[in-house]
Amino acid sequence: MPYFASASSPSPMSRRLFLSTTGALSLGAALTACGGGDSGGSPAAAEPVAQADIDKAMTTPTELTFWTWVPNIAKEVALFEKKYPAVKVKVVNAGQGTPEYTKLRTALKAGSGAPDLVQIEYQAIPTFTITGSLLDLRPYGASALKSTFVDWTWSQVSGPDGEIWAIPQDTGPMGMLYRKDIFDRHGIEVPGTWDEFAAAARKLHKADPDAYLTNLAANQVAAWHGLLWQAGAKPYATSGKSEITISVDDAVSRKLGAYWGGLAKEGVIGVEPDFTDSWYAALNKGKYATWITAAWGPVFLSGSAKATSGKWRAAPLPQWDAAKPSSGNWGGSTTAVIRSTKNPVAAAVFAQFLNSDPASAKMFATEQFFFPATKALLTDAAFVADAPPFYGGQKVNQVFADISSTVNSSFQWPPFLDQAATDWTETVGKSLADRTDTIRALGSWQSRMTTYAKNQGFTVKGS
Amino acid sequence: MTAARRRRAAGPLFVAPFLALFLLLFLAPLGYAAYLSLFQDRLIGGNVFVGLDNYTQALRDPQLLHGVGRVALFFVIQVPLMLLLALLFALALDSGLLRLARVIRLGIFVPYAVPSVVAALMWGYLYGPDFGPFAQLSRDLGLPAPDFLSDGRLLGSLANIVTWEFVGYNMIILYAALRTIPQELYEAAAMDGAGAWRIAWSVKLPALRPALLLTLLFSVIGSFQLFNEPNLLMKIAPDVISSSYTANLYAYSLAFTGQQVNYAATVSFLLGLVIVIASYAVLLTANRRRTP
């Protein structure tokens, strides 16, 4: 199962100061070192590690510990171990998303037990860079990979001073899955704009009181962040280490709040928690005619709503401005190296190999059905031509590959994402579930986060 | 060494294993929590000594106060109900009038053997508004499905789970106490002309008092520590159960979601204090009643 439960992710931030990379395949230059000072985001770019040192590290017997929740990742790891027989990778499943981060945080605090590498979602990167827990991968040649990955993913893993905190693994550009049969039965066109979507929601629910056009889960801050992202919102911005702007109550957010809060209040959309038994049952029995989801959604749905095979299709998200199509991202993750690792070179090389080696990257798309983060795969004929019968033979990957290029690349995440997520569920999410004033709830979300950030020592600039 | 001295030396030796564990597993963590609660480790600015600041903040924290208030309400309603049920079952079993007494005794006790995580998941399914059996049944009868997970009902639904889990446990304690009542007392009561009800009221109940007090104390502690059940139901009712629904849940979220370990230590410490006070109040009132 892909990444839903937790929230969202990192920062575009300026990409100035990228190290000019040494040569094509450059895995680096001088200086071993575990990059930089000890608190996250030391601005001085560490010097590249010399190729000779890398070669030496990769032929010295080493064991790396890697926390990940990807099923059967041993296949990808085997490719790496075949190329570098001296380095062994011990794969540990420490839980998916938040449970893993909780364990990691505990291990980091305790000062022992942290792995060398960790799978981490885009949205959680700033939460760990603020505590200085991730290793800047620039000295190990990561800069050379910039053009390998989809642009917006690279800005998500980059720090404000050009640091490279992680290597993208998979992505979740958002789109809409819909029930063609229900649309046809009620004469509903695939909505191209959010206005059309709202009209369709009213129409469907009026025609069939047991059905809703969609469900906006009151516990799913990640979906909300994705929709904010699509709308071009800038809810979080950091400048320097201790200055943060929180504006989850600005004009764009209010537009979203009025829209979704309004539909919820009217009772024409569902608001039940997602990824629960009840929600699965609802998707299977056609209570919802669309699922607003991400690129990992199609495979996930075909596994959990088998009874509805052949009835679904995929389309881009409805737009606020049909002339300028855009989308947000929900989910997807990366591989990061923990700063305390004793084998920074081997770990950094592994992180890069795992996600950028063409064979390994392809395996993620074909074995785990991950939605790729590399440009090469998104244009790979074999990948985009896939036409699963669950979607009536539609080329679903092509739909999402097209969406991927419309994802805005300037979205940033707060350095305390878990708190932001909890606060959202208890304010905005609750207003949706209770069908009360969502705009006012946005204000509560803003003030709760502001208070938290101040208590944590940040200088807060708000909307 | 004389015999007397040897005996004196043996005393501490016997309590030493207990004392060591008590120190290591109880006092040391308690002390550490107290120490932590005097600091604040901020994301920006690091660790600073703040004295009692965390405590003054906690005492004015509406989320904490609501959480404590909610478990207090839970305690006042759920515990008497549960203990009354346990008492009735224990008396019924002890009366020897039930058929299949062994099967019934086991049946009532079995829920306690189910881990509370499993219990919460199971009840979460039963409560389900779409596919839960209760909802289906009422739909088949043409009635609106009861929403066990709504704002107003959730505390009651939680109380039901906890009661289901712990009635058997408390029953066993009370039942065991009943079995220790000397047979002569019953004989004497019967000679005086007491019927079954009279015996239950005048002989059994007074004899049960210490056991009832014990179960009550356990329940005070259990109620204020309420965590597993709300934490699991949170996944299916995230809009009703907040991260500060119970005080214990709040301490957990502070530490693991908000990264405020120090404040979490403060909250835990205060919660411990509340439990001590509540337990003491229970003991005090019970003792006062016994010595007129």
Side-chain angles (χ1 to χ4, degrees):
Chain A
M1 274 194 289
Y3 327 116
F4 28 83
S6 41
S8 26
S9 182
S11 42
M13 316 203 163
S14 70
R15 266 161 276 128
R16 70 203 140 99
L17 225 164
F18 260 103
L19 279 198
S20 49
T21 53
T22 26
L25 255 185
S26 89
L27 286 179
L31 235 254
T32 1
C34 330
D38 38 16
S39 41
S42 59
E47 296 210 24
V49 178
Q51 187 61 45
D53 291 331
I54 291 178
D55 291 344
K56 188 168 160 238
M58 298 314 290
T59 48
T60 312
T62 310
E63 187 184 78
L64 299 172
T65 308
F66 177 29
W67 285 6
T68 174
W69 58 80
V70 175
N72 303 319
I73 200 169
K75 292 186 179 176
E76 282 89 347
V77 169
L79 291 177
F80 172 78
E81 290 179 339
K82 201 173 149 203
K83 183 165 177 195
Y84 300 103
V87 184
K88 296 276 169 271
V89 180
K90 188 175 147 212
V91 173
V92 177
N93 186 340
Q96 172 172 329
T98 310
E100 186 202 67
Y101 306 146
T102 303
K103 276 181 209 144
L104 180 60
R105 212 174 276 145
T106 312
L108 290 168
K109 265 230 152 81
S112 72
D116 298 293
L117 295 121
V118 66
Q119 180 181 5
I120 185 170
E121 292 153 291
Y122 296 99
Q123 68 267 23
I125 293 174
T127 303
F128 286 98
T129 55
I130 188 85
T131 52
S133 310
L134 303 185
L135 183 67
D136 183 358
L137 300 177
R138 277 178 299 178
Y140 311 95
S143 310
L145 296 177
K146 187 184 173 193
S147 59
T148 305
F149 293 98
V150 178
D151 295 345
W152 69 264
T153 62
W154 200 253
S155 57
Q156 291 270 301
V157 299
S158 305
D161 297 306
E163 301 95 335
I164 300 168
W165 295 124
I167 307 295
Q169 181 163 85
D170 68 319
T171 62
M174 286 177 80
M176 178 175 77
L177 302 179
Y178 66 95
R179 285 281 297 269
K180 187 170 187 304
D181 58 326
I182 299 181
F183 274 36
D184 287 350
R185 200 180 317 139
H186 294 282
I188 295 171
E189 300 273 321
V190 179
T193 66
W194 285 114
D195 281 341
E196 290 169 22
F197 185 85
R202 294 185 185 103
K203 182 175 171 183
L204 175 65
H205 187 63
K206 201 174 167 204
D208 179 358
D210 286 336
Y212 299 91
L213 186 63
T214 198
N215 178 59
L216 186 70
N219 63 332
Q220 196 47 272
V221 69
W224 185 266
H225 274 135
L227 290 169
L228 276 178
W229 190 334
Q230 183 211 12
K234 304 251 183 312
Y236 317 105
T238 41
S239 50
K241 198 187 169 199
S242 63
E243 217 172 74
I244 180 165
T245 308
I246 300 173
S247 43
V248 297
D249 190 24
D250 62 354
V252 184
S253 293
R254 280 163 174 260
K255 178 170 78 176
L256 230 58
Y259 181 84
W260 289 106
L263 290 178
K265 232 180 193 170
E266 273 182 62
V268 294
I269 59 165
V271 285
E272 69 175 301
D274 56 6
F275 302 102
T276 62
D277 293 339
S278 173
W279 178 82
Y280 289 118
L283 283 179
N284 269 294
K285 69 182 186 196
K287 183 175 171 187
Y288 302 122
T290 70
W291 180 26
I292 291 174
T293 183
W296 43 260
V299 173
F300 180 79
L301 184 71
S302 61
S304 28
K306 292 201 178 80
T308 56
S309 180
K311 296 174 177 168
W312 291 87
R313 298 290 183 276
L317 285 183
Q319 297 294 321
W320 292 107
D321 179 356
K324 279 182 274 169
S326 75
S327 186
N329 180 71
W330 170 5
S333 50
T334 69
T335 310
V337 178
I338 299 298
R339 184 181 284 243
S340 60
T341 178
K342 291 196 177 65
N343 308 297
V345 177
V349 171
F350 173 68
Q352 296 173 55
F353 177 91
L354 182 69
N355 301 307
S356 71
D357 175 76
S360 177
K362 180 139 198 170
M363 213 177 252
F364 279 120
T366 55
E367 293 283 335
Q368 282 93 6
F369 300 107
F370 278 5
F371 198 77
T374 63
K375 288 177 183 166
L377 274 169
L378 285 178
T379 51
D380 182 327
F383 175 73
V384 294
D386 188 38
F390 190 88
Y391 296 93
Q394 186 188 15
K395 290 181 185 167
V396 178
N397 286 344
Q398 180 69 61
V399 174
F400 281 96
D402 292 343
I403 294 172
S404 182
S405 62
T406 66
V407 174
N408 189 323
S409 63
S410 66
F411 196 83
Q412 296 189 31
W413 300 101
F416 38 80
L417 187 82
D418 295 343
Q419 184 68 32
T422 301
D423 286 343
W424 182 86
T425 309
E426 292 175 12
T427 54
V428 183
K430 185 154 178 59
S431 81
L432 291 168
D434 295 349
R435 306 190 193 270
T436 54
D437 192 345
T438 300
I439 303 260
R440 211 170 67 199
L442 286 171
S444 315
W445 188 26
Q446 170 84 23
S447 74
R448 276 180 68 155
M449 262 196 293
T450 306
T451 308
Y452 175 83
K454 280 184 183 156
N455 283 341
Q456 289 291 349
F458 288 94
T459 310
V460 184
K461 296 194 285 184
S463 65
Chain B
M1 230 196 280
T2 67
R5 270 173 97 195
R6 204 176 300 149
R7 218 175 298 140
R8 232 175 290 139
L13 215 61
F14 276 121
V15 291
F18 164 77
L19 272 182
L21 286 178
F22 183 71
L23 266 173
L24 196 72
L25 300 177
F26 189 79
L27 287 185
L30 204 64
Y32 187 56
Y35 168 78
L36 279 183
S37 70
L38 302 177
F39 290 83
Q40 243 174 39
D41 189 3
R42 299 191 180 119
L43 282 173
I44 302 295
N47 206 1
V48 263
F49 179 79
V50 293
L52 294 177
D53 279 10
N54 285 332
Y55 288 91
T56 50
Q57 188 192 343
L59 292 175
R60 276 177 299 173
D61 185 340
Q63 286 179 284
L64 175 62
L65 299 180
H66 281 145
V68 172
R70 201 171 280 120
V71 285
L73 180 69
F74 179 89
F75 166 72
V76 169
I77 297 169
Q78 186 264 338
V79 170
L81 261 174
M82 172 179 70
L83 292 186
L84 192 67
L85 276 175
L87 180 64
L88 288 179
F89 285 134
L91 286 174
L93 283 173
D94 186 59
S95 71
L97 299 174
L98 289 184
R99 288 172 181 215
L100 297 173
R102 275 163 184 245
V103 178
I104 294 175
R105 193 170 66 203
L106 190 67
I108 299 171
F109 186 71
V110 152
Y112 179 68
V114 176
S116 65
V117 172
V118 178
L121 288 175
M122 185 188 87
W123 279 99
Y125 162 74
L126 294 176
Y127 288 152
D130 268 331
F131 54 86
F134 296 118
Q136 283 184 359
L137 189 70
S138 31
R139 220 169 278 133
D140 289 346
L141 295 172
L143 300 168
D147 190 359
F148 294 109
L149 303 171
S150 64
D151 250 330
R153 297 218 181 118
L154 197 89
L155 203 59
S157 304
L158 276 177
N160 176 51
I161 301 178
V162 175
T163 307
W164 179 83
E165 282 177 290
F166 288 99
V167 157
Y169 172 76
N170 288 307
M171 177 201 71
I172 291 288
I173 295 179
L174 297 176
Y175 179 68
L178 281 175
R179 304 306 286 174
T180 63
I181 298 175
Q183 200 60 32
E184 300 86 77
L185 279 183
Y186 294 144
E187 285 163 13
M191 292 248 258
D192 289 343
W197 287 108
R198 184 70 203 214
I199 290 179
W201 183 257
S202 302
V203 179
K204 292 186 179 179
L205 266 189
L208 274 182
R209 205 175 268 166
L212 269 174
L213 192 62
L214 183 75
T215 54
L216 187 59
L217 270 183
F218 284 166
S219 306
V220 173
I221 297 166
S223 303
F224 281 94
Q225 290 187 337
L226 200 58
F227 176 80
N228 264 346
E229 294 81 5
N231 188 35
L232 284 158
L233 288 189
M234 201 174 192
K235 293 199 175 60
I236 53 172
D239 45 315
V240 180
I241 300 184
S242 64
S243 62
S244 56
Y245 194 78
T246 71
N248 217 0
L249 196 56
Y250 187 43
Y252 173 84
S253 335
L254 283 173
F256 293 106
T257 311
Q259 306 188 46
Q260 305 180 75
V261 178
N262 306 95
Y263 191 44
T266 312
V267 166
S268 310
F269 211 77
L270 283 175
L271 182 63
L273 210 62
V274 170
I275 294 177
V276 168
I277 293 170
S279 311
Y280 190 70
V282 165
L283 274 177
L284 208 64
T285 46
N287 281 338
R288 195 171 287 163
R289 214 179 289 159
R290 214 180 327 174
T291 49

